[in-house]
Amino acid sequence: MIVLKSKQEIEAMRRASQIVADCHREIAKVIAPGITTAEINDMVAKHIIKLGGKQFTKGYNGFPAETCASINDVVAHGFPGPTPLKEGDIAKIDIVVECDGWFGDSAWCYEVGEVSEAARKLMRVTRECMYLGIEQAVPGNRLGDVVSAIQKHAESNGFSVVRDLLGHGIGRSLHEEPNYEHVGVAGKGIRLKEGMVFTVEPMINEGTYRITIDEDGWTARTADGKLSAQYEHTIAVTADGPLILTEQ
């Protein structure tokens, strides 16, 4: 069942979402060669508390940290760790915050120092995919319109869209209906209605869309070892168009 949110509930979700956005602003100030994702994680954990939120991911089904930190070929759900980031890495940091019983969720992909032209193109196209999908999130459209825009842009640039990790509704739970792949056909799928709130979070790979999962049961990698990028916003469908709750 898809839970529609009132304007007041969407405003309540904005507080959690803006804590997430502020965490990303803080990461952007410090991420550079030499810092570790464990240090970034600890900074985010403290910042969430400072802003009045609660972390969610540490302890969720055994996940060990307050953020997901996914470097280069890691698609998603990477563990923060003690290895320093190096020049040319791309780092996806995914943050979930609970505040007053509501959730916000956003992932961002960061350049570490100077990255290759190939990495920069992948990041640019992935970010464009997310925003092209968000543009389609208006009442009366279908979910297929959102994902078709993402898939067409990614594939027209020679990239692939991960199928096995999903976008999702969000509200008083992190994962609500609908759960959906970021591929599909325009005009198909559920009809979008005012009050729907969900994530748009395409994971775009340099090579194959196929992924593998490490022995830790969490870390998802590209099956061919090539780069992957991701950008994610929590958005609401409104009469005035898509509202990005996690806008930085």
Side-chain angles (χ1 to χ4, degrees):
M1 181 179 69
I2 295 173
V3 180
L4 301 180
K5 279 77 175 178
S6 68
K7 291 182 179 179
Q8 293 77 17
E9 289 172 327
I10 290 170
E11 282 303 307
M13 290 190 69
R14 193 197 293 267
R15 185 176 179 205
S17 296
Q18 279 302 300
I19 293 174
V20 175
D22 202 67
C23 288
H24 280 297
R25 286 190 285 268
E26 292 301 307
I27 292 169
K29 295 176 184 178
V30 301
I31 196 163
I35 197 170
T36 71
T37 51
E39 290 171 328
I40 292 172
N41 181 81
D42 291 346
M43 180 191 76
V44 169
K46 292 174 183 176
H47 200 64
I48 290 171
I49 294 170
K50 176 184 175 182
L51 297 179
K54 299 178 182 178
Q55 78 81 30
F56 179 77
T57 54
K58 187 174 183 178
Y60 175 70
N61 292 336
F63 193 82
E66 290 86 351
T67 65
C68 298
S70 306
I71 313 304
N72 296 333
D73 67 317
V74 178
V75 177
H77 305 153
F79 294 176
T83 303
L85 294 173
K86 64 183 186 299
E87 188 88 13
D89 285 341
I90 63 171
K92 288 83 70 181
I93 309 294
D94 193 353
I95 303 170
V96 175
V97 167
E98 181 184 359
C99 185
D100 299 327
W102 296 98
F103 283 85
D105 183 8
S106 176
W108 215 249
C109 190
Y110 296 91
E111 298 181 10
V112 181
E114 288 293 322
V115 303
S116 68
E117 284 300 319
R120 189 172 289 113
K121 179 184 177 183
L122 176 65
M123 292 175 64
R124 174 181 58 79
V125 170
T126 304
R127 189 167 56 249
E128 290 168 352
C129 283
M130 178 186 66
Y131 283 116
L132 287 168
I134 289 171
E135 286 176 5
Q136 296 298 317
V138 297
N141 272 5
R142 293 188 179 271
L143 195 54
D145 298 317
V146 175
V147 298
S148 174
I150 290 168
Q151 184 178 7
K152 285 181 179 178
H153 191 61
E155 293 178 353
S156 69
N157 280 277
F159 300 132
S160 65
V161 184
V162 172
R163 271 76 160 163
D164 295 332
L165 301 172
L166 307 178
H168 54 90
I170 184 171
R172 289 204 177 272
S173 299
L174 174 60
H175 294 110
E176 298 183 352
E177 295 293 334
N179 295 293
Y180 70 95
E181 298 178 350
H182 290 82
V183 296
V185 178
K188 301 291 185 179
I190 62 170
R191 183 81 67 183
L192 301 183
K193 297 181 180 179
E194 186 176 356
M196 290 179 65
V197 183
F198 57 94
T199 65
V200 179
E201 51 177 303
M203 288 147 274
I204 308 300
N205 290 352
E206 192 176 29
T208 180
Y209 66 83
R210 300 187 185 280
I211 64 173
T212 62
I213 306 295
D214 286 3
E215 290 184 3
D216 61 29
W218 282 98
T219 305
R221 298 180 185 272
T222 58
D224 55 11
K226 294 185 177 181
L227 294 177
S228 182
Q230 182 192 21
Y231 292 89
E232 172 189 17
H233 273 314
T234 295
I235 69 148
V237 179
T238 80
D240 297 322
L243 176 63
I244 302 176
L245 300 179
T246 48
E247 187 75 85
Q248 294 177 33

